[in-house]
Amino acid sequence: MKLTLDLSEMLDLWRLHYAGSPPLADAVFRRNDGIDSTAVYIAAINRWYSRLLREAPASMLAPCRLDLPLPPPSADASTVLSLPAGTVRVLEVRLASWLRPAEVITDPSSPQLPLQLHRFTRATSASPVAFFSGGELRLYPAATAADRLLSLDCAVCADGLYEFDDSALACLHNYTCES
């Protein structure tokens, strides 16, 4: 089940699942040791959510389906899409002319990137490739004039909202520590 929570709802959920304490709806809790536990929890929530969006299996996320116009091919025979701010990860991209979704690559030093610059080693519709870096998605092979975007599913971080599948709560501890 997809969850969409604001910060206060996420804070209550975090206290319940991670900190082991129920939400404080009927009492005022004050500390006098100088530690702002709410700020500590919010920082931990944001680290967890950021790591979840970057690393978790797609089934734990609530992907955002983007519908963008396809620009004409660029000079290197690719189609370049500018993704909205907050796009953390591309989960799936497919054009109508492709036989399957593209392999999404995020490593700028991948050996796949230079291969796309030559017409004999470039990706084909049977094995398309998409490079995601810096908010830009570069698609190989390029979209044709009659092409359309069948799917573009992304993990997007919107300010003040946390969207994920409830199955991610079972793995709360897996994404809290940076490794």
Side-chain angles (χ1 to χ4, degrees), residues 24-172:
L24 302 173
D26 60 345
V28 175
F29 179 72
R30 294 181 192 249
R31 293 180 67 134
N32 61 4
D33 58 2
I35 297 172
D36 183 358
S37 60
T38 300
V40 170
Y41 289 151
I42 290 171
I45 288 167
N46 289 332
R47 280 191 313 271
W48 169 79
Y49 189 61
S50 174
R51 190 163 182 209
L52 182 80
L53 291 178
R54 287 182 283 118
E55 300 175 13
S59 63
M60 289 185 182
L61 305 176
C64 179
R65 172 118 336 158
L66 302 177
D67 187 22
L68 302 174
L70 291 174
S74 64
D76 69 347
S78 68
T79 296
V80 181
L81 299 174
S82 293
L83 300 182
T87 302
V88 176
R89 184 168 138 201
V90 175
L91 302 170
E92 180 181 296
V93 60
R94 185 173 182 181
L95 295 177
S97 63
W98 294 351
L99 301 177
R100 65 175 191 85
E103 174 188 358
V104 179
I105 299 171
T106 58
D107 180 10
S109 63
S110 170
Q112 286 280 355
L113 187 56
L115 292 176
Q116 305 314 310
L117 302 177
H118 193 278
R119 65 184 178 146
F120 294 119
T121 58
R122 189 171 294 141
T124 65
S125 61
S127 60
V129 176
F131 290 95
F132 176 61
S133 179
E136 189 175 88
L137 185 64
R138 191 170 291 273
L139 307 175
Y140 295 95
T144 62
D147 223 340
R148 70 187 200 299
L149 197 58
L150 287 183
S151 67
L152 177 53
D153 295 338
C154 299
V156 177
C157 184
D159 284 340
L161 284 181
Y162 301 88
E163 293 183 307
F164 53 91
D165 189 87
D166 63 351
S167 64
L169 295 175
C171 299
L172 199 66

